[in-house]
Every structure is written in C-alpha cells, then in structure tokens.
C-alpha cells in the first residue's frame, strides 16, 4: 500500500517528535479507527525510554490521520508521550 505524507503532516511530524518511519509503521500496522470528515486514524505505540521536553517517557504514541487517496495520504500527525 502506498503511503504519502502531505507537507502539513511532514511539518507536524517533525515539530511533535515523530520520525517518518514511525508514521509509516503506524499506518501499516497500527490500530485503525474512524476519524472526522470521513478520514481514518492509525495509532501505534513505540518504546521510547528517552527525554522529551525535559521529562523522561517510556512510550511514544504516534497517531496519523489519513484519507484514502491512491493509497493513504497522511494529512496530520499527533504524538503523545507517557
């Protein structure tokens, strides 16, 4: 399946602390759920065990919101640390 990142998603991914590989892995093997406006979300947890914004976290959750368009077009990326 073809997975592309919209320029908005690339910018958000970088500022929110996810790699492009993590976003692609979330779409390929993460939990799929319905999102607003006919979109889909893909969520996957990754072992992190590092510091993000001066706090140590064990897990990084990457959530990609995408539309089905010649494969998947990721339009934004959300990242949670816990």
């Amino acid at each position: 399946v073809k997975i592309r990142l919209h320029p908005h998603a690339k910018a958000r991914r970088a500022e929110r602390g996810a790699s492009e590989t993590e976003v692609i892995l979330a779409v390929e093997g993460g939990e799929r759920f319905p999102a607003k406006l006919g979109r889909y979300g893909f969520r996957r947890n990754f072992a992190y065990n590092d510091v993000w914004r001066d706090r140590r976290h064990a897990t990084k959750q990457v959530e990609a919101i995408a539309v089905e368009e010649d494969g998947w077009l990721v339009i934004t990326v959300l990242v949670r640390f816990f």
Side-chain angles (χ1 to χ4, degrees), residues 36-75:
K36 292 181 181 178
L37 304 172
R39 299 170 180 161
Y40 291 94
F42 298 89
R43 183 182 301 128
R44 184 168 178 172
N45 292 343
F46 296 91
Y48 187 61
N49 298 316
D50 208 345
V51 176
W52 175 256
R53 297 194 177 160
D54 300 325
R55 292 187 60 199
R56 179 163 290 282
H57 302 279
T59 305
K60 178 195 312 188
Q61 183 178 81
V62 176
E63 193 171 290
I65 305 299
V67 292
E68 219 168 344
E69 183 179 291
D70 188 30
W72 291 106
L73 174 62
V74 177
I75 54 175

Side-chain angles (χ1 to χ4, degrees), residues 17-33:
S19 70
E20 189 165 334
T21 301
E22 289 169 330
V23 173
I24 290 169
L25 289 172
V27 174
E28 288 178 339
E31 170 194 358
R32 180 175 162 173
F33 59 93

Side-chain angles (χ1 to χ4, degrees), residues 3-14:
I3 300 168
R4 297 171 295 129
L5 272 68
H6 186 277
H8 174 84
K10 287 181 182 180
R12 295 304 163 266
R13 164 201 77 67

